[in-house]
Amino acid sequence: MDVTELHDEENLLLRQTLGMGCKQRSVKSLAQQMGTTQKAIQKKLVMIVEKLRHHDDSIQLWKYMNR
């Protein structure tokens, strides 16, 4: 799975949380911006990570991160 396969909202949330191509944002500030709770944002992030974790290409991602 390429990150581009995530839905636009998921992709943006992940990028802002990790600071990929933009300033890193806290879960609290993202929740305020989106008009939701921190718990809801955290739940979405867990879902996104699960999508990435269970994909065949996750081994390449792991290798890249641990080189």
Side-chain angles (χ1 to χ4, degrees):
M1 169 186 289
D2 189 319
V3 175
T4 58
E5 291 181 36
L6 294 173
H7 295 288
D8 289 341
E9 180 182 331
E10 294 172 339
N11 194 350
L12 181 60
L13 182 61
L14 181 63
R15 288 179 177 278
Q16 288 180 335
T17 303
L18 299 175
M20 296 170 59
C22 62
K23 182 180 175 193
Q24 186 174 10
R25 308 246 338 254
S26 69
V27 171
K28 182 178 180 178
S29 71
L30 289 168
Q32 289 173 341
Q33 174 192 344
M34 299 174 94
T36 189
T37 65
Q38 291 180 45
K39 190 171 184 170
I41 297 296
Q42 291 168 334
K43 188 175 179 179
K44 283 184 179 185
L45 289 170
V46 167
M47 180 194 68
I48 292 167
V49 169
E50 287 298 314
K51 279 184 181 181
L52 293 170
R53 181 179 291 141
H54 295 291
H55 194 275
D56 294 340
D57 292 337
S58 62
I59 292 173
Q60 278 79 13
L61 178 61
W62 183 85
K63 285 180 181 178
Y64 174 77
M65 293 174 65
N66 291 291
R67 59 181 171 152

